[in-house]
Amino acid sequence: MDIRQIEEAVLSFYRSGTQQQEDTHQWLQKIQESQQAWSFCWQLMQLDRPSEVQFFGAITLHSKLTKHWAEVPKEAHGEFKQKLLESIVMFGNGPKIVLSQLCIS
């Protein structure tokens, strides 16, 4: 999964017309369900990304946690929780929409 393609799709979703938005939304939902979402969600939340992209990364993480937590091996739970806490601290100064989504996660 190409991170740039995902980033472009997210930005296109927020900046496009209704029909293109619907098509993009369906594609974004599909990739949120993929196994690769566990990896790309963290990449999308890097501080140098646009806030819309960071938010998509955060909601993808939340979606994976609530629907697919069983995919994370038990031995990786501690490391995963630590990474989530570090992300919460990293976004402590904003954007608040990303921080809120991480806290919900």
Side-chain angles (χ1 to χ4, degrees):
M1 190 96 20
D2 180 31
I3 243 358
R4 288 187 184 174
Q5 183 182 12
I6 297 169
E7 184 172 341
E8 288 171 9
V10 170
L11 294 174
S12 171
F13 173 78
Y14 285 105
R15 299 174 182 160
S16 63
T18 309
Q19 182 55 47
Q20 185 180 358
Q21 249 182 350
E22 180 60 32
D23 296 341
T24 303
H25 179 52
Q26 288 178 9
W27 185 79
L28 290 170
Q29 282 184 312
K30 182 179 176 182
I31 66 166
Q32 280 182 316
E33 296 292 321
S34 72
Q35 185 69 31
Q36 295 91 348
W38 287 111
S39 298
F40 74 67
C41 67
W42 301 108
Q43 293 174 291
L44 294 175
M45 288 188 288
Q46 293 175 358
L47 292 175
D48 62 339
R49 305 258 186 223
S51 58
E52 299 94 338
V53 174
Q54 293 170 340
F55 180 67
F56 181 73
I59 61 171
T60 298
L61 177 61
H62 179 260
S63 175
K64 293 300 281 184
L65 285 171
T66 57
K67 298 176 185 174
H68 304 283
W69 176 245
E71 293 176 357
V72 178
K74 287 191 185 280
E75 59 274 4
H77 285 186
E79 180 183 335
F80 188 91
K81 290 175 186 177
Q82 182 63 36
K83 193 170 185 176
L84 178 56
L85 288 173
E86 289 170 1
S87 296
I88 290 170
V89 170
M90 182 173 73
F91 282 98
N93 292 323
K96 297 298 181 198
I97 193 165
V98 177
L99 175 62
S100 296
Q101 194 63 46
L102 289 171
C103 289
I104 292 169
S105 296

